[in-house]
Amino acid sequence: MTRLECSFPRVKAVFEDCLDGACKMLSVSGVDAYIDGAQAICRMGRGEEPVLAFLEEMPPVASLLGEEIIPEVVEFTRKLARSPNSRAIVPFMESMVTAARSLESSGLFQEYMSLVMHTMMRTTPKVHGIDSMYASTCLVEFLTSAPRLFKLLSLGGIRAWVDYGVRSHAADPDRQRDYFLLQSVDSRAVLQRERHGTLFSDHERKLDLYLRGLWKTEAAFIPYSLAFDTLRKPVPYLDGLGVHLPDVYDDLHGIRGIDRYRALLAHLCAHLRWTRPIMADNLSPFQRIAAEVFEDSRVEQLAMREYPGLGNLWRVLHPAPKEDACPEGWSAIRHRLGMLSRAILDPGHAYTNPVILNYVKIFKEMMPASTRDMMELGVRFIAETRVPSDFNAKIYFEDTEVDYRDDNRLMWRFFEEDDEEEYEKRPARSKQDAAEHEMPPRLYPEWDHASGHYRPDWVSVYEHLHPKGDPAHIDRLLAKHAVLARRLKNIIDRLKPQDRVRIRYQEEGSELDLDVAIRSLIDFKSGVQPDTRINMNHRHDGRNIAVSLLLDLSASLADVPGGCTQSKLELSQEAVSLLAWAVDQIGDPFAIGGFHSDTRHEVRYLHFKGYGERWGMDVKERLSAMKAGFSTRMGAAMRHAGHYLAHQEADKKLLLVLTDGEPSDIDVQDPRHLIEDARIAVRELDMKGIYTYCINLDPGADNYVADIFGRHYTVIDNVASLPDRLPRLFMALTK
């Protein structure tokens, strides 16, 4: 659907402009959902204002929270339209952008919609204790004030502010309206009372720079509210989606809220750097808790070696359990582990328990140790200190919760169904393979088409540089195709950006902008504040493309096609070398990666060339050693390549996938499973603005490749022509 069937004149007048803006922010499927939503709201029969508000406000909200929020907003609007509160639709939509920017999480935005619905029901007049057909007395007023509230309060603070207004003025609708319009004295007083703590939304940029500057890492932030889950208090954690953390932190023990965020992020980054996942299935809950405490302490000790100041911050935030505080008959396992953790972190502790002191000594003698060592130490600690009262239902929690630590889900792996049979089939890992896994895996979800949902953190992707070979081999391949290279050179010269454009008004630049500099000097002499942006830079105009080439290195690539004297691996090697040389001549940021898989637990991603790396000896050495083996778990590899490509600053981002067969792996029985997962991966990349294109060497690819890539693919039946076809395809896609 590219047109909106709506008869309102004002909607027709602005639809094209709104659609153009939506196309710049949303994927193709997102634009379809956007138009469908506008169509549905138009058919609700509530006039043109709700449609206009939806067309204007929905694209930036979907861009911030994800396009899956569009149908949820439409369904929520439908609920309002069916109630006597249809007047609230437009104020709600006008509050969406501010709410989305403050919450930055689709889960929290859903909590906001629940709060709106809850407010509507609680402020609807009742007749004899039954909800009447009258509209809410102050829902519109609340939604009118919502943008201002989000700039001042966390979502939990807004909820507390709403609760006070509903309870205190339930019998006086006029005063309640004044309260929700922020016009009454008690409204402003409660607002000031709830304005406490450090809002994550106010400091996100600082925390992002903290991650990049000190820890050389990047992660998406997904805030949650502590006000909506009173039965089970949420705990920070890290998964494939990003860092899940509270939306507000109060000052604690003299530590500012932003420093509490830094303490949390430092602990998480220490886990990312030094924790290696281990199997958890044979451990009891007590053994796992103890292993987690030892591992938390280990990564903190390693982090403090690099940044000693972290110790002062963590020691203030870490509780100090009193040695004899646990009552007799209570389970003291958490109390003992809390003392142990504090004793390891704080050399000045006052504990005298000989077992605690002994394990602190053992721990420090084992450092730096490993995650598995900490697991074994935790098992020993539980075996030595366990007493019958540990199994009592009454557990002593006082001063045992370390709130800057995460839930340690990154530390554990679990056997899934049929994993035992799968592991029996796998050969023992060599020392070389073990060295490859010194870096922790990156976990990705996988789409389960049978159940229609994701399997979270399902696939482990290990990455490392490809081993090196003889670079002279690549030089010989390029010499073999010298005639083709000369033809490509003519095309390259036409593709290179020619025009230089000045970028003026820069604080720092390559040269002085004389016009601005003279004007600033005149202002300075006249006593006026001069403009300091007196420099300028230049950039090439007309081409801004980043490209990632993803190579399928599965075992079938070693096959020799009929009528050829070379294997598909050798032909791919020649084609990739020519393409890398050609792209280097053009100057586009270009990366080459390869992948193969040995079950979902081991998808190997091999780096041949990075975006900032020039075509040279190192890249040739890696390409010359290219080998084929194992299976083809394509979806995880595309997600991983897209993760790096998404961080490139380019107008167009292209992921080229070179493969010779359909996705498959030895732990997957359903032939459609990995095909559907790869299709979903392509859709995810499209939502990130990454254009995916497949070059397939399988003559039977027509049976499945369109299911994954739509119309964005080319099947090369004559594999021998690959060295000629691949560079030309790239240039056709990027011209």
Side-chain angles (χ1 to χ4, degrees):
M1 180 190 296
T2 58
R3 302 294 302 175
L4 181 65
E5 298 176 4
C6 188
S7 59
F8 295 122
R10 289 176 60 197
V11 173
K12 289 182 177 180
V14 302
F15 176 68
E16 294 296 335
D17 290 337
C18 293
L19 182 61
D20 182 59
C23 290
K24 295 176 181 177
M25 298 187 221
L26 308 178
S27 66
V28 175
S29 58
V31 171
D32 289 341
Y34 170 67
I35 297 174
D36 290 340
Q39 189 73 66
I41 293 174
C42 186
R43 290 172 179 168
M44 291 177 190
R46 298 300 179 180
E48 62 185 12
E49 293 297 333
V51 186
L52 292 170
F54 179 86
L55 290 173
E56 181 178 356
E57 307 293 346
M58 195 68 247
V61 173
S63 177
L64 288 165
L65 303 180
E67 295 172 358
E68 64 276 3
I69 202 69
I70 298 176
E72 296 183 17
V73 169
V74 174
E75 180 59 31
F76 182 80
T77 305
R78 187 177 284 115
K79 291 179 182 178
L80 289 178
R82 290 171 180 166
S83 74
N85 295 280
S86 58
R87 282 196 315 118
I89 294 175
V90 173
F92 165 71
M93 291 185 177
E94 290 174 345
S95 74
M96 289 196 305
V97 174
T98 305
R101 287 174 179 159
S102 298
L103 301 176
E104 298 187 355
S105 162
S106 60
L108 285 184
F109 191 84
Q110 291 169 356
E111 296 285 3
Y112 168 55
M113 291 193 291
S114 298
L115 177 61
V116 173
M117 189 61 64
H118 191 56
T119 305
M120 179 188 76
M121 292 186 293
R122 295 178 67 190
T123 56
T124 297
K126 299 183 184 304
V127 178
H128 303 299
I130 301 174
D131 290 345
S132 68
M133 294 304 294
Y134 295 104
S136 164
T137 55
C138 56
L139 179 61
V140 172
E141 288 77 6
F142 165 56
L143 292 171
T144 302
S145 301
R148 181 180 174 189
L149 294 172
F150 274 112
K151 293 178 181 178
L152 301 173
L153 303 178
S154 66
L155 186 57
I158 295 176
R159 180 187 185 185
W161 181 83
V162 169
D163 286 343
Y164 182 91
V166 171
R167 291 195 311 269
S168 301
H169 304 295
D172 192 339
D174 291 332
R175 292 191 64 186
Q176 194 172 66
R177 274 191 289 270
D178 290 341
Y179 179 92
F180 280 99
L181 285 172
L182 291 169
Q183 294 177 352
S184 64
V185 175
D186 61 339
S187 174
R188 292 191 289 271
V190 175
L191 180 67
Q192 291 300 321
R193 186 189 71 188
E194 295 299 330
R195 282 190 68 185
H196 58 82
T198 300
L199 293 181
F200 167 78
S201 58
D202 291 341
H203 297 84
E204 180 181 8
R205 176 174 169 77
K206 291 181 182 178
L207 296 174
D208 184 55
L209 292 174
Y210 174 76
L211 278 186
R212 297 187 187 195
L214 259 65
W215 297 100
K216 307 297 189 294
T217 189
E218 296 180 5
F221 294 119
I222 306 171
Y224 57 78
S225 176
L226 297 172
F228 291 87
D229 194 344
T230 55
L231 294 178
R232 183 184 181 277
K233 186 178 178 181
V235 177
Y237 65 94
L238 180 66
D239 63 8
L241 299 177
V243 178
H244 300 253
L245 72 181
D247 63 343
V248 62
Y249 261 146
D250 292 325
D251 294 353
L252 182 67
H253 306 316
I255 301 297
R256 297 179 304 159
I258 189 169
D259 289 327
R260 292 182 66 189
Y261 278 118
R262 290 179 178 132
L264 164 62
L265 294 178
H267 182 81
L268 286 172
C269 289
H271 273 305
L272 276 177
R273 183 174 296 183
W274 291 294
T275 295
R276 303 293 178 266
I278 55 177
M279 299 305 298
D281 294 79
N282 293 327
L283 300 178
S284 71
F286 283 175
Q287 291 170 338
R288 284 180 56 194
I289 292 172
E292 288 172 0
V293 169
F294 278 112
E295 179 65 5
D296 283 336
S297 299
R298 182 181 78 93
V299 298
E300 287 179 3
Q301 293 294 316
L302 293 172
M304 286 188 290
R305 291 182 181 182
E306 292 192 21
Y307 304 110
L310 285 173
N312 297 328
L313 177 61
W314 282 333
R315 278 189 285 271
V316 174
L317 294 174
H318 194 295
K322 296 180 180 179
E323 189 161 0
D324 300 319
C326 183
E328 186 177 352
W330 287 57
S331 174
I333 184 66
R334 290 182 60 91
H335 180 251
R336 289 198 303 275
L337 289 171
M339 289 194 298
L340 175 67
S341 176
R342 178 73 193 191
I344 292 174
L345 182 63
D346 181 10
H349 68 85
Y351 298 124
T352 59
N353 185 310
V355 176
I356 297 293
L357 298 179
N358 181 47
Y359 272 91
V360 171
K361 178 182 177 183
I362 295 172
F363 171 86
K364 294 188 175 179
E365 290 174 349
M366 292 178 64
M367 288 296 291
S370 67
T371 305
R372 184 164 296 280
D373 293 333
M374 295 300 100
M375 181 267 288
E376 295 171 356
L377 193 59
V379 172
R380 285 173 54 191
F381 180 83
I382 292 298
E384 185 172 342
T385 63
R386 185 169 50 196
V387 293
S389 62
D390 287 344
F391 298 92
N392 288 352
K394 295 187 296 182
I395 302 174
Y396 188 76
F397 282 94
E398 189 73 23
D399 290 330
T400 64
E401 297 182 59
V402 187
D403 63 2
Y404 69 81
R405 290 179 177 174
D406 64 311
D407 65 0
N408 286 296
R409 67 181 60 192
L410 284 180
M411 183 177 172
W412 303 110
R413 291 170 63 182
F414 297 87
F415 275 106
E416 305 292 344
E417 187 178 358
D418 299 328
D419 273 6
E420 290 186 11
E421 178 182 352
E422 167 192 321
Y423 269 76
E424 288 174 1
K425 296 178 183 177
R426 298 172 63 185
R429 182 175 293 167
S430 66
K431 292 183 180 179
Q432 180 181 355
D433 289 336
E436 291 175 354
H437 291 73
E438 289 179 358
M439 291 292 291
R442 187 174 180 87
L443 303 178
Y444 287 95
E446 189 168 87
W447 180 257
D448 184 352
H449 79 103
S451 58
H453 61 72
Y454 284 101
R455 295 172 175 176
D457 296 344
W458 189 252
V459 183
S460 300
V461 178
Y462 293 88
E463 57 178 320
H464 50 271
L465 285 175
H466 195 282
K468 294 182 178 182
D470 180 13
H473 176 60
I474 302 299
D475 291 330
R476 289 191 292 270
L477 294 180
L478 294 174
K480 173 184 173 182
H481 294 281
V483 176
L484 174 58
R486 284 195 295 271
R487 292 203 303 267
L488 291 175
K489 186 69 167 60
N490 295 329
I491 302 175
I492 290 168
D493 290 338
R494 294 196 297 270
L495 287 177
K496 282 184 178 180
Q498 304 294 331
D499 299 330
R500 280 163 58 87
V501 177
R502 289 190 301 171
I503 307 175
R504 307 184 66 188
Y505 298 102
Q506 303 293 305
E507 293 278 357
E508 298 179 357
S510 59
E511 60 184 273
L512 192 66
D513 190 335
L514 288 176
D515 292 339
V516 181
I518 292 171
R519 187 164 60 245
S520 297
L521 181 60
I522 294 171
D523 290 341
F524 177 74
K525 296 289 187 181
S526 304
V528 179
Q529 179 67 32
D531 191 341
T532 59
R533 300 172 300 165
I534 61 173
N535 295 296
M536 64 180 175
N537 276 320
H538 293 87
R539 65 172 173 82
H540 288 293
D541 188 26
R543 186 177 179 89
N544 189 8
I545 301 172
V547 183
S548 176
L549 176 60
L550 182 61
L551 307 176
D552 171 9
L553 300 179
S554 58
S556 59
L557 204 66
D559 298 340
V560 179
C564 292
T565 58
Q566 295 176 283
S567 68
K568 288 183 281 187
L569 178 66
E570 294 170 323
L571 291 167
S572 298
Q573 203 173 39
E574 294 181 10
V576 172
S577 299
L578 273 169
L579 178 60
W581 168 81
V583 178
D584 185 69
Q585 296 291 311
I586 298 173
D588 293 334
F590 181 58
I592 305 174
F595 75 96
H596 53 226
S597 62
D598 183 17
T599 75
R600 69 180 180 88
H601 300 289
E602 196 165 347
V603 178
R604 302 179 184 179
Y605 189 95
L606 302 99
H607 292 276
F608 290 96
K609 179 185 179 299
Y611 290 102
E613 196 173 9
R614 295 301 303 270
W615 171 250
M617 191 67 67
D618 289 339
V619 180
K620 293 178 183 178
E621 287 176 343
R622 297 177 201 131
L623 286 175
S624 66
M626 187 187 297
K627 293 182 179 179
F630 301 100
S631 304
T632 315
R633 211 172 196 105
M634 187 180 294
M638 286 195 294
R639 290 183 178 97
H640 195 64
H643 164 73
Y644 288 109
L645 184 55
H647 288 84
Q648 296 299 306
E649 295 183 0
D651 294 337
K652 183 174 183 179
K653 300 173 185 178
L654 172 64
L655 175 61
L656 280 175
V657 181
L658 177 60
T659 181
D660 70 324
E662 63 182 297
S664 64
D665 211 338
I666 61 172
D667 61 340
V668 176
Q669 307 301 321
D670 182 358
R672 293 295 304 178
H673 176 76
L674 292 181
I675 292 176
E676 291 297 321
D677 175 61
R679 179 180 66 84
I680 295 297
V682 170
R683 189 173 72 180
E684 293 169 10
L685 294 173
D686 182 54
M687 294 173 66
K688 295 179 180 179
I690 296 174
Y691 180 82
T692 308
Y693 196 90
C694 177
I695 299 99
N696 202 304
L697 308 181
D698 180 11
D702 291 327
N703 296 326
Y704 60 85
V705 68
D707 294 341
I708 300 174
F709 296 95
R711 293 178 294 178
H712 304 153
Y713 70 91
T714 295
V715 178
I716 300 179
D717 295 322
N718 181 13
V719 181
S721 66
L722 179 62
D724 182 22
R725 295 284 300 279
L726 182 60
R728 293 180 181 275
L729 271 171
F730 165 78
M731 293 172 188
L733 290 169
T734 62
K735 65 182 179 180

